[in-house]
Amino acid sequence: LTLPAGLTEIGDNAFEDCSSLTTLTLPASLTTIGERAFYRCSSLTTLTIVSDHAEPRVLTREQPFDTAAVQQALEQARAA
């Protein structure tokens, strides 16, 4: 799933229980991720962060990304 450039917010529970979500591409413009936005996304193991100023950052993990891990990845990408 690729979210559009310029998106700034993902609401609370937006993808909760979306077990079929395996990869997600987020714009670096995203600043707010709601509570439990990725709760029980048990297959989300690849995250790509796209920025206008740098090459895309691809992150993979054995354990699924939860909301806190997605937020942390975004913050690190913006700081780079």
Side-chain angles (χ1 to χ4, degrees):
L1 175 65
T2 299
L3 299 181
L7 182 72
T8 59
E9 183 175 342
I10 294 176
D12 293 349
N13 310 96
F15 297 99
E16 183 175 356
D17 290 321
C18 190
S19 60
S20 63
L21 183 62
T22 59
T23 62
L24 181 63
T25 300
L26 302 171
S29 60
L30 191 60
T31 57
T32 304
I33 298 177
E35 291 194 34
R36 299 170 58 115
F38 298 99
Y39 183 65
R40 290 192 284 206
C41 289
S42 57
S43 301
L44 181 57
T45 56
T46 303
L47 184 65
T48 303
I49 301 170
V50 179
S51 170
D52 293 338
H53 308 292
E55 291 295 315
R57 181 179 177 153
V58 179
L59 306 164
T60 58
R61 336 178 0 164
E62 289 183 28
Q63 295 296 317
F65 284 92
D66 59 11
T67 303
V70 171
Q71 184 69 44
Q72 181 180 25
L74 279 166
E75 289 170 5
Q76 290 174 349
R78 282 195 296 268

